[in-house]
Amino acid sequence: NDLLSDQVFGGPHRSLLAFKSIFAICAFATCGGYYGRLQVKVDCADRRQSNLSINIDFGYPFRLEQVHFRAPLCEAKRGEVLFLDGDYSSAAQFFVTVGVFAFLYSLMATVVYVFYQNKYLKNNRGPLVDFVVTIMFSFMWLVSSCFWAKTLSDIKAATNPTQVLLLISACRAQENKCAATQEPLWSRLNTSVVFGFVNLVLWGGNIWFVFKETGWYKTGHRYPTRSASGKRSSEMRQRLYSESSFDQPDESFGPTRQNSFNQSQTDYRPYSLQRHAAGGNYVCQIKHVSPSCQVLCW
């Protein structure tokens, strides 16, 4: 069970799948399920034509141009039908769509990690697809969150009580009194913007961890760079050169020592040789005498 858990949820991006799903739900639920109400009153000088409770209801997908309400004219015994301004459905629907698809992909990825782990890693296709999709969702969360944040500010301006009261003809007359008795609550939509940027951090921050599972990252670490390989080959050449220097004959050994050295290749007996040099005395011992002998000096 522990091994299966490490394989399925070993990577950081896999461990955060639950958070991706939860925050995606929070993002599209707080936006898609919003319902707001603005209530205004028109107190006419005549008093008989006053309307102290005019309800203006709106919500997702925020097609405010279709939201209408009825207000009194005060000068005549009739009223007028007014509409709010603006259509902000594109940004809201795009934000909700990204959230829904991000939630569905997180669920699908969880199923693949748990039940189709071998197929996911086969031919490196699974990690590559996961890497590309993660980049796409990171970009879409960035665009949708910024777009929705800007659109939300426009919705607040379009439903501002001062802006709405200017649409009512009776409120333009100084003798009539108009005011807002109830304003919509924006905390839910403000939270949706926060959830959008939280999803951006979750998906964008996991791009590196998903990339580490792809063949591109593994290939780069499997084969070292040219500078590193060149450095290793240079060190190997120096080591071989220092070892091969003992195989060259030296006249200072003399015939006797040269013969004893040659004889040691077949006798397999340790020898202690002493060589005089300008820098001092070096005692060399043939540790293992064979056709390819090894000499230790100190």
Side-chain angles (χ1 to χ4, degrees):
N1 293 333
D2 295 339
L3 179 61
L4 178 60
S5 178
D6 293 339
Q7 291 179 350
V8 175
F9 300 104
H13 71 286
R14 300 184 187 183
S15 303
L16 294 177
L17 279 175
F19 293 98
K20 288 182 178 180
S21 302
I22 294 174
F23 282 104
I25 294 175
C26 294
F28 70 77
T30 51
C31 178
Y34 179 79
Y35 172 82
R37 167 173 288 184
L38 172 63
Q39 188 177 81
V40 298
K41 69 175 183 178
V42 178
D43 191 4
C44 300
D46 191 1
R47 299 286 179 152
R48 291 178 297 179
Q49 302 295 327
S50 299
N51 190 342
L52 303 180
S53 179
I54 302 175
N55 296 323
I56 306 172
D57 299 327
F58 62 95
Y60 178 83
F62 304 101
R63 292 188 177 94
L64 299 184
E65 60 183 9
Q66 299 179 4
V67 177
H68 62 277
F69 59 96
R70 189 176 184 87
L73 288 175
C74 291
E75 296 180 356
K77 295 181 179 181
R78 58 188 180 90
E80 59 179 349
V81 178
L82 302 172
F83 291 84
L84 297 180
D85 295 330
D87 183 3
Y88 307 98
S89 60
S90 58
Q93 289 177 336
F94 179 55
F95 183 79
V96 171
T97 301
V98 172
V100 171
F101 278 100
F103 168 71
L104 294 177
Y105 180 79
S106 298
L107 290 182
M108 184 186 67
T110 303
V111 173
V112 171
Y113 292 153
V114 175
F115 299 103
Y116 302 98
Q117 179 72 9
N118 294 332
K119 293 184 179 180
Y120 172 79
L121 298 175
K122 185 178 180 181
N123 297 328
N124 198 38
R125 293 181 180 177
L128 287 178
V129 172
D130 197 9
F131 175 66
V132 173
V133 173
T134 302
I135 294 179
M136 292 176 58
F137 271 110
S138 300
F139 177 75
M140 287 191 295
W141 275 119
L142 173 62
V143 175
S144 63
S145 299
C146 294
F147 192 21
W148 171 235
K150 174 60 172 62
T151 303
L152 179 58
S153 63
D154 296 338
I155 295 175
K156 293 179 180 180
T159 57
N160 189 291
T162 304
Q163 184 68 23
V164 174
L165 292 176
L166 291 177
L167 299 176
I168 303 175
S169 301
C171 296
R172 300 171 190 169
Q174 296 182 356
E175 62 271 11
N176 301 322
K177 298 180 180 180
C178 300
T181 57
Q182 180 181 344
E183 297 185 12
L185 299 177
W186 302 107
S187 59
R188 185 169 182 175
L189 292 183
N190 293 335
T191 306
S192 68
V193 175
V194 175
F195 283 135
F197 285 104
V198 170
N199 280 281
L200 170 62
V201 173
L202 287 176
W203 287 86
N206 282 331
I207 292 179
W208 168 248
F209 299 108
V210 179
F211 174 72
K212 291 176 66 175
E213 289 193 353
T214 62
W216 299 331
Y217 178 83
K218 295 179 180 179
T219 303
H221 280 255
R222 185 179 305 170
Y223 301 100
T225 58
R226 183 173 299 180
S227 59
S229 60
K231 182 178 181 181
R232 291 184 180 179
S233 61
S234 176
E235 293 177 355
M236 183 62 67
R237 285 195 299 269
Q238 292 179 0
R239 184 181 302 176
L240 293 177
Y241 177 78
S242 61
E243 291 180 357
S244 63
S245 61
F246 293 103
D247 296 336
Q248 298 177 359
D250 196 337
E251 294 180 357
S252 63
F253 281 9
T256 304
R257 300 236 176 136
Q258 182 66 30
N259 293 335
S260 63
F261 181 80
N262 295 332
Q263 184 181 0
S264 66
Q265 295 183 353
T266 57
D267 291 343
Y268 294 92
R269 293 177 299 174
Y271 276 81
S272 294
L273 303 179
Q274 190 172 18
R275 180 179 178 182
H276 299 275
N281 297 331
Y282 296 89
V283 179
C284 300
Q285 181 181 3
I286 302 176
K287 185 177 180 181
H288 179 69
V289 183
S290 62
S292 58
C293 64
Q294 182 178 2
V295 180
L296 300 179
C297 299
W298 66 89

